[in-house]
Amino acid sequence: GENVEQHPSTLSVQEGDSAVIKCTYSDSASNYFPWYKQELGKRPQLIIDIRSNVGEKKDQRIAVTLNKTAKHFSLHITETQPEDSAVYFCAAKISNFGNEKLTFGTGTRLTIIP
Amino acid sequence: NAGVTQTPKFQVLKTGQSMTLQCAQDMNHEYMSWYRQDPGMGLRLIHYSVGAGITDQGEVPNGYNVSRSTTEDFPLRLLSAAPSQTSVYFCASGGGETDTQYFGPGTRLTVL
C-alpha cells in the first residue's frame, strides 16, 4: 500500500519568515495530495490540495509543489504569522471511483516565533 | 448544514467495556471513514465505507467494528476496550468528484 513520509517533525520559524514542509510518497499511481492543518484540540482542516496534472498551486500565502518524477510534494508558507502555528499533515491517495483512502504523513508541528 | 458530527466528545471506559462512537454527516457523502490519532503517529485509518451496506478494513482495524445502514451514519464499535485504544478518534466523510474529505470534531477516549 501507499506510504507517506513527512519531514521535519517539528519546525520553528521567526514570524515573517517562510516555512517549508516536505513529503514523499511511494505509490506512483497516487494522484491527489491534500494538506491539512490541525490546531490544538481541533479537527484537521483542508488548507490546500494538488492533483498530479499540475506542478504548483497557490492560495494567498500558501503554496504546494509536486514533483511526480521524484514522488515528493511540499507545502510552502510565506510571511508566516502566529496563527500559522499548528500541526500540518500531508496525505496522498489514488483518485478514482471507489477508492477514497487517504494515507497521511506523521505530521509537522510548526511554531511561529513572534 | 452541520457537516460531520461526532458524539460523545469525551469518554472514559474501563478495560473490557464496550461502547459505540457515533458519526453522522448531512452532506450526502458516499464515503465515510474512521481514524485514530496518537502522538507522533499521524492519522491512521481504522475502517471505511464507500456507501450504505459496504464497509472495509483500514490500517488498524483490530478491536473495532463498523456498519453502514444509512448514507448519513457510520458508528464505530469498540467490542472490549483496551488501554491501547486510548486515543482521539476522528470520523471523516467526502471524496467523490471533489476528493475533499471533511473531518468531524473528534472523540477523546481514555481506557483505564
Side-chain angles (χ1 to χ4, degrees), chain B residues 8 13-14 16 19-20 27 29 41 67 71 75 82 85 88 104-106:
Chain B
L13 292 177
K14 294 181 179 178
M19 78 159 295
T20 299
M27 297 175 282
H29 289 153
M41 301 189 74
S67 60
T71 299
Q85 293 178 305
V88 179

Side-chain angles (χ1 to χ4, degrees), chain A residues 1-112:
Chain A
E2 175 66 279
N3 182 51
V4 176
E5 295 189 356
Q6 183 172 348
H7 300 281
S9 57
T10 60
L11 179 62
S12 296
V13 301
Q14 290 289 139
E15 182 178 353
D17 288 349
S18 296
V20 180
I21 302 170
K22 300 181 178 181
C23 290
T24 61
Y25 60 98
S26 62
D27 193 335
S28 58
S30 289
N31 56 6
Y32 174 68
F33 308 94
W35 285 89
Y36 285 82
K37 175 183 180 182
Q38 186 178 30
E39 297 176 350
L40 189 63
K42 301 288 183 63
R43 73 188 80 187
Q45 293 198 301
L46 179 73
I47 56 171
I48 194 167
D49 57 14
I50 192 168
R51 301 177 193 281
S52 58
N53 58 347
V54 298
E56 183 176 6
K57 184 177 179 180
K58 289 184 179 180
D59 184 2
Q60 299 184 325
R61 295 186 299 107
I62 61 174
V64 57
T65 59
L66 172 65
N67 183 326
K68 287 189 294 182
T69 303
K71 290 190 284 188
H72 68 69
F73 56 112
S74 301
L75 178 71
H76 305 254
I77 306 174
T78 59
E79 301 173 9
T80 53
Q81 302 169 3
E83 54 264 36
D84 294 328
S85 293
V87 178
Y88 292 81
F89 293 96
C90 63
K93 79 165 184 173
I94 303 168
S95 177
N96 58 35
F97 180 75
N99 177 53
E100 305 290 356
K101 288 195 294 181
L102 278 173
T103 301
F104 284 87
T106 50
T108 296
R109 181 175 300 279
L110 174 63
T111 302
I112 306 302

Side-chain angles (χ1 to χ4, degrees), chain B:
Chain B
N1 191 331
V4 182
T5 59
Q6 290 183 238
T7 56
K9 291 187 177 182
F10 301 94
Q11 183 70 48
V12 179
L13 292 177
K14 294 181 179 178
T15 297
Q17 287 185 316
S18 63
M19 78 159 295
T20 299
L21 279 62
Q22 302 291 343
C23 175
Q25 53 94 7
D26 60 1
M27 297 175 282
N28 202 33
H29 289 153
E30 291 294 332
Y31 182 77
M32 297 185 73
S33 57
W34 278 100
Y35 294 89
R36 61 177 289 172
Q37 184 174 35
D38 303 294
M41 301 189 74
L43 292 151
R44 293 185 292 169
L45 183 65
I46 304 171
H47 285 285
Y48 65 98
S49 169
V50 297
I54 306 170
T55 63
D56 206 346
Q57 297 181 350
E59 181 185 355
V60 288
N62 292 342
Y64 307 95
N65 272 358
V66 292
S67 60
R68 184 94 179 270
S69 56
T70 67
T71 299
E72 294 78 20
D73 300 296
F74 191 44
L76 177 72
R77 282 183 288 277
L78 279 70
L79 308 174
S80 177
S84 61
Q85 293 178 305
T86 294
S87 188
V88 179
Y89 291 84
F90 287 100
C91 177
S93 77
E97 291 184 359
T98 66
D99 285 310
T100 303
Q101 293 190 25
Y102 302 89
F103 283 82
T107 295
R108 184 174 295 273
L109 175 68
T110 301
V111 182
L112 302 175

